[in-house]
Amino acid sequence: MPCEEGKPSAHLVQQLECLMRPRHINARELAARRVQIGFHIRVQALIRRARHGGILLRAVRQYRHEAEIARALVQLVEEQLDNIEVAVKLCEQQQLHDLDGTVIQTALELGCIYALVALALFLSYSILNIADLSTDGCFTLGCAVACQVALTGHPFLALLAAMAAGVCSGFVTAFLQTSLGVESIMAGIIVNTGLYTINLAVMGFSSTMSLVKTDTVFSIAKSALSFTGGGYKLVLAAGVIALAGAAMVGFLGTRLGLSIRATGDNAAMVRASSINPAFTITVGLCISGALTALSGGLLAQYQKSCDINVGTGMVTIALASLIIGETLVGKRTMVRRVLGVVFGSCLYRFIVAVALRFNVPAAAMKLVSAIIVAVAISMPAIREKIAFEKRRSAARQARKERV
């Protein structure tokens, strides 16, 4: 069959045979040409292997060159390693110093903000002798109302609106106690449960709110108190708690304030003195709710956000701050008691900041708070036991000396 020269064959041998085969050729010449074809194929294979070997040789030479460069870089890094370690240590020390200053300042700022809640609990728990458990919901209510009003461009009016909402919460709690005969603990639980839905409604049935691009009292204070540098938040929070503490001391010294104090000591005596204890309880719980909501409003503008669960555990925090202050500062005069509340709140936040500084997981902060509260509550009993053991040991020693 004749071969078509324009069409390539499937195999190289057949293609070469087709190109080299004439029309009339004998078997001997065909065998010789096949030998030539085989030799040609072997030569081409050797040429390809030589080329591949040359590529490998160049790759090896390039690798050797790059290895020499890498060794030079490693030697350079090793020479500069000591300087790098010294620089890293200096940077870490500077960061730790800045972090410690920031942690202390943040603890003081949050301590002053949360001191308002402790001051509210001081009025309801220590003065009126009422366990108000609506503090958690009232705090969240203040946050939500302050966020909604601040979004309209009125950050100062937001604080007043939060206080008004807190007054309403305190009034409902007092109404349940004084008019409907509900126990104080149950009244607080009922109000706190109802406030959850109310807080969601205030927040537009959303679990979070943001004030990132909204003016707050702290952003306004940043420009007004620019001479303080980075301490404008601390100055504002300290100013608010100072005014609230001074107003509390002044109010409790008035006739109405003394009536509230007397109601907490002996409600029957107050009733016998022609003073309505229901009115004094209502006033006291309304003021307590206003302070709690004011604290929530300040915190919302401080962190520029609000969460539906932001008030969880607020009673625990306030109670710990209150007891720490009374234990360390004392409660001989009203001024010392108010100062003790503020000091206890700042100390509590500092303890929490130290716990965070030592990389305590965020999930364990509730346990840390519970331990702090347990230690703070048990401190008076521990001090009494220590004093009793000292007196007993002294009596035993005196008895031995007599014998």
Side-chain angles (χ1 to χ4, degrees), residues 30 108 121 163 201 248 301 312 341 348 362 370:
L30 179 61
L108 291 176
L121 197 65
M163 293 179 66
M248 178 66 70
Q301 299 193 42
T312 303
V341 169
Y348 176 83

Side-chain angles (χ1 to χ4, degrees), residues 114-288:
Y114 285 114
L116 293 170
V117 186
L119 200 62
L121 197 65
F122 164 74
L123 180 60
S124 61
Y125 180 76
S126 297
I127 300 299
L128 281 174
N129 197 20
I130 294 175
D132 186 12
L133 298 182
S134 65
T135 303
D136 295 358
C138 186
F139 186 87
T140 308
L141 178 64
C143 283
V145 172
C147 281
Q148 287 289 2
V149 179
L151 286 174
T152 62
H154 303 284
F156 291 99
L157 184 61
L159 299 179
L160 297 178
M163 293 179 66
V167 169
C168 295
S169 174
F171 178 81
V172 173
T173 306
F175 179 78
L176 291 176
Q177 296 182 38
T178 58
S179 299
L180 301 182
V182 181
E183 294 292 333
S184 60
I185 296 178
M186 288 302 302
I189 293 174
I190 292 171
V191 173
N192 190 35
T193 304
L195 282 176
Y196 185 85
T197 304
I198 295 175
N199 294 334
L200 279 177
V202 173
M203 297 172 65
F205 292 98
S206 174
S207 60
T208 58
M209 293 183 66
S210 177
L211 297 176
V212 174
K213 297 182 180 180
T214 306
D215 290 333
T216 63
V217 292
F218 292 97
S219 61
I220 295 174
K222 183 177 181 180
S223 58
L225 302 175
S226 58
F227 59 91
T228 61
Y232 63 94
K233 292 183 179 180
L234 179 58
V235 172
L236 179 59
V240 173
I241 188 58
L243 291 176
M248 178 66 70
V249 173
F251 172 74
L252 293 177
T254 61
R255 183 174 181 178
L256 179 58
L258 293 174
S259 301
I260 293 175
R261 295 166 64 180
T263 302
D265 292 335
N266 193 340
M269 183 191 68
V270 171
R271 189 179 295 104
S273 301
S274 300
I275 299 175
N276 187 7
F279 175 73
T280 56
I281 291 175
T282 301
V283 173
L285 291 180
C286 287
I287 296 175
S288 176

